[in-house]
Amino acid sequence: MSAALDLDKIRPAFADPVRESQLAFRRIMDAVARPGTRADFGLAAAPPAGLDVAAATLALTLFDFETPVWLDPALRAGEAQTWVRFHCGCPLTPDPAQAAFAVVTDIAAAPPLAAFNPGDAKYPDRSTTVILQVEELDGGEAVALSGPGIQDHVIVAPRGLPAGFWGQMQENNARFQFGVDVLLVCGPALIAVPRSSQIQIQGV
């Protein structure tokens, strides 16, 4: 596999891998524990073309040799695939149902959430975490999140989501404890919407 990598074209990752990955991991865990709150991940200074800073930081922090990763076709066709393979050492899978993590950047061609692994009765924690790169984390259709980690409710309105996304998330939550967890990213910022979050579309 290493012979296929053009090392001269691979952009750098963390300048201080131990410190920065630990800091990023704490921020990720805090964001997941408090769904709908924004976290900043301005750590990976030179992400590859196609990946925002937050998406690249998530990859550097969470992907490893034990986590099969699904990249959408737009990423597989560019330098992001080589960057992820080199820095994370993770196996890539063409099957979204086999992925521990999935990265979606081509919103128009995004698979439905049901295409990813929802976990099973023996291993519900082995479901896919979907990293969804959107246009903005504001300015879109507003929804209220409630459930674990949220006091009362929190309003989020990311823009540039797949068609019918929030309906899919309602179906995803209805399957809890099964279902996927979603990390919405744009630029250096992240909002987590785990499977435990209940979704109320505003105005409905």
Side-chain angles (χ1 to χ4, degrees):
M1 183 173 66
S2 60
L5 300 180
D6 187 346
L7 302 183
D8 292 335
K9 295 182 179 180
I10 297 176
R11 298 191 184 191
F14 291 140
D16 185 344
V18 174
R19 185 187 66 83
E20 293 180 13
S21 63
Q22 289 175 345
L23 175 60
F25 186 78
R26 288 195 296 271
R27 291 181 180 176
I28 294 166
M29 292 300 100
D30 188 55
V32 172
R34 298 189 300 150
T37 59
R38 191 172 305 202
D40 183 86
F41 292 89
L43 297 171
L51 283 184
D52 284 350
V53 168
T57 302
L58 289 170
L60 293 173
T61 307
L62 300 177
F63 299 178
D64 61 28
F65 69 96
E66 294 183 318
T67 56
V69 173
W70 182 86
L71 301 178
D72 69 13
L75 293 175
R76 293 199 298 269
E79 66 178 274
Q81 175 174 261
T82 301
W83 187 89
V84 167
R85 287 171 58 198
F86 178 76
H87 287 299
C88 306
C90 55
L92 301 181
T93 176
D95 183 358
Q98 298 298 317
F101 294 95
V103 187
V104 178
T105 61
D106 184 356
I107 299 300
L113 294 180
F116 299 103
N117 180 11
D120 56 39
K122 189 174 182 180
Y123 298 110
D125 58 323
R126 293 186 181 180
S127 65
T128 306
T129 296
V130 180
I131 299 167
L132 187 61
Q133 188 167 289
V134 299
E135 295 175 12
E136 298 288 346
L137 293 179
D138 297 298
E141 181 181 23
V143 303
L145 308 182
S146 60
I150 303 171
Q151 185 174 3
D152 191 18
H153 70 276
V154 61
I155 302 295
V156 299
R159 188 172 78 239
L161 293 167
F165 173 79
W166 290 120
Q168 294 181 54
M169 287 298 294
Q170 288 175 321
E171 294 174 1
N172 185 62
N173 171 255
R175 304 174 69 184
F176 185 78
Q177 63 184 351
F178 307 118
V180 302
D181 298 315
V182 176
L183 304 176
L184 301 172
V185 298
C186 181
L190 158 74
I191 290 175
V193 186
R195 74 193 86 171
S196 60
S197 293
Q198 300 167 26
I199 312 294
Q200 177 63 50
I201 301 174
Q202 298 301 280
V204 176

